[in-house]
C-alpha cells in the first residue's frame, strides 16, 4: 500500500520568513497534526480540529504533482511545515522523491520526535518552545533528537516574547554552544486584521535586539523578525 501523508496546505512560491533560511524562495507543504498546544501558535488549525475537513491524504507523488501545478519551474526548495511534521514516518517517501528531483528541503520541529528522514533535510531547524508557550520542553528528549540529526544542516531557534523566554533561550544556547542559534521575536497579535501590525512587531523586534546587544552570553546569535508577518500580517497561504 502506498504511504499517504495528511496535508492541509500546499502553496508558493513565496519567501521563507523564519530561521536559518529567512528570505529563501520556497514552496510550502503544511501537514496536519502536532503533539504540542502552544498558547501563541499561529497555525492552530493544524491541530485544533477547526480544519479537519480540509485534510487531504496524499501520496508523495500527489504532493509533487500539486507543487508542480502551483509552482511550475519557479522553485527548487520546499519547506515542510506544520503542525509538527516530525510525527510523520510516511514523509520518507516525499523526502526521497524530492531528493531524486534535486529539490532542497527545509523543516522546522520542536525537537520532540526524530525520524530517519530528518537526516536528509538540507535546512533543519529545531525550535524548543519557551515558557510563554505553556508547553514543558523535555530537554533530555531534545538531547536525544539533536544527537540523531546531521549537525551540518542543523540550527536552533527560540521564539521570544518576554524576558523569561530570553532566559530560556540563553539556557538552550549554552546547552548547545556549537550549533547555529537564532532568536526570533514572537507575534502576539494573531487576529485576522491587526491595526498597525508591522509597526507593533518592529517595536517588539527592537526590544529583543536591545536586550541581546547588552548580553555577553548571546554574542554568537542571529536576531530575526518573522519576515512574512512584517510583509503580510497574519494572511495565510503566503
Amino acid at each position: 500500500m502506498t504511504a499517504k501523508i495528511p496535508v492541509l496546505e500546499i502553496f508558493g512560491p513565496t519567501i521563507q520568513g523564519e530561521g536559518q533560511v529567512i528570505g529563501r524562495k520556497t514552496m510550502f507543504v503544511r501537514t496536519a497534526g502536532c503533539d504540542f498546544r502552544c498558547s501563541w501558535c499561529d497555525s492552530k488549525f493544524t491541530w485544533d480540529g477547526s480544519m479537519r475537513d480540509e485534510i487531504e491524504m496524499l501520496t508523495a507523488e500527489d504532493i509533487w504533482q500539486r507543487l508542480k501545478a502551483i509552482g511550475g519551474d519557479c522553485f527548487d526548495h520546499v519547506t515542510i511545515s506544520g503542525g509538527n511534521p516530525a510525527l510523520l514516518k510516511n514523509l520518507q517517501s516525499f523526502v526521497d522523491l524530492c531528493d531524486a528531483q534535486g529539490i532542497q528541503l527545509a523543516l522546522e520541529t520542536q525537537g520532540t520526535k526524530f525520524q530517519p528522514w530528518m537526516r536528509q533535510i538540507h535546512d533543519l531547524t529545531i525550535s524548543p518552545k519557551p515558557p510563554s508557550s505553556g508547553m514543558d520542553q523535555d530537554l533530555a528528549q531534545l538531547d536525544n533528537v539533536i544527537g540523531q540529526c546531521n549537525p551540518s544542516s542543523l540550527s536552533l531557534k527560540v521564539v521570544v516574547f518576554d524576558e523569561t523566554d530570553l532566559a530560556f533561550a540563553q539556557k538552550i544556547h549554552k546547552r548547545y554552544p556549537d550549533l547555529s542559534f537564532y532568536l526570533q521575536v514572537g507575534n502576539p497579535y494573531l487576529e485576522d486584521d491587526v491595526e498597525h501590525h508591522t509597526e507593533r512587531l518592529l517595536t517588539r523586534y527592537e526590544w529583543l535586539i536591545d536586550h541581546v546587544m547588552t548580553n555577553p552570553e548571546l554574542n554568537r546569535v542571529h536576531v530575526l523578525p518573522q519576515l512574512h508577518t512584517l510583509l503580510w500580517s497574519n494572511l495565510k497561504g503566503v
Side-chain angles (χ1 to χ4, degrees), residues 158-176:
V158 174
V159 177
V160 175
F161 282 82
D162 53 34
E163 292 188 31
T164 303
D165 286 355
L166 191 59
F168 172 84
Q170 184 173 315
K171 179 171 73 171
I172 294 295
H173 183 42
K174 187 174 182 179
R175 193 177 185 94
Y176 312 101

Side-chain angles (χ1 to χ4, degrees), residues 32-50:
C34 192
D35 49 334
F36 271 16
R37 302 290 185 266
C38 296
S39 61
W40 36 252
C41 179
D42 59 3
S43 305
K44 289 184 178 179
F45 61 90
T46 63
W47 50 261
D48 68 1
S50 61

